[in-house]
Amino acid sequence: QVQFVESGGGLVQPGGSLRLSCAASGSTFSIYGVGWYRQAPGKQRSLVASTISGGSTNYADSVKGRFTISRDSAKNTVYLQMNSLEPEDTAVYYCNSFPLPRTSWGQGTQVTVSS
């Protein structure tokens, strides 16, 4: 049913910023929370940030103070503002339902932080 389409990734130097977008079909945000997840080569996928319908947010310790998740319910879109990017942030970023992700993941968007 619900599909998530990620965009906004790219190549950025350490210390730079990117804003990722997650466009969701249907009325996802009226029912489910949404999370941003990431997976680096050879690493397991992990939750980066999440938000629920009421606006509550949480973050992984590794990104606290640097990343901000936000939502635009009218557009069925969730954003991830990433500042002070580090090479360790390099990964494919995905959005999905939170706290129970759908078993089918989208293509994600590549974020590469490198000099």
Side-chain angles (χ1 to χ4, degrees), residues 7-9 21 24 27 51 54 57 104 106 113-114:
S7 62
S21 297
S27 57
T51 183
T57 61
S104 179
V113 185
S114 175

Side-chain angles (χ1 to χ4, degrees), residues 65-87:
R66 301 188 298 119
F67 290 11
T68 303
I69 188 170
S70 61
R71 59 163 52 219
D72 186 337
S73 296
K75 298 181 180 295
N76 275 354
T77 301
V78 173
Y79 304 95
L80 185 67
Q81 178 67 46
M82 305 185 295
N83 300 324
S84 302
L85 283 162
E86 305 168 351

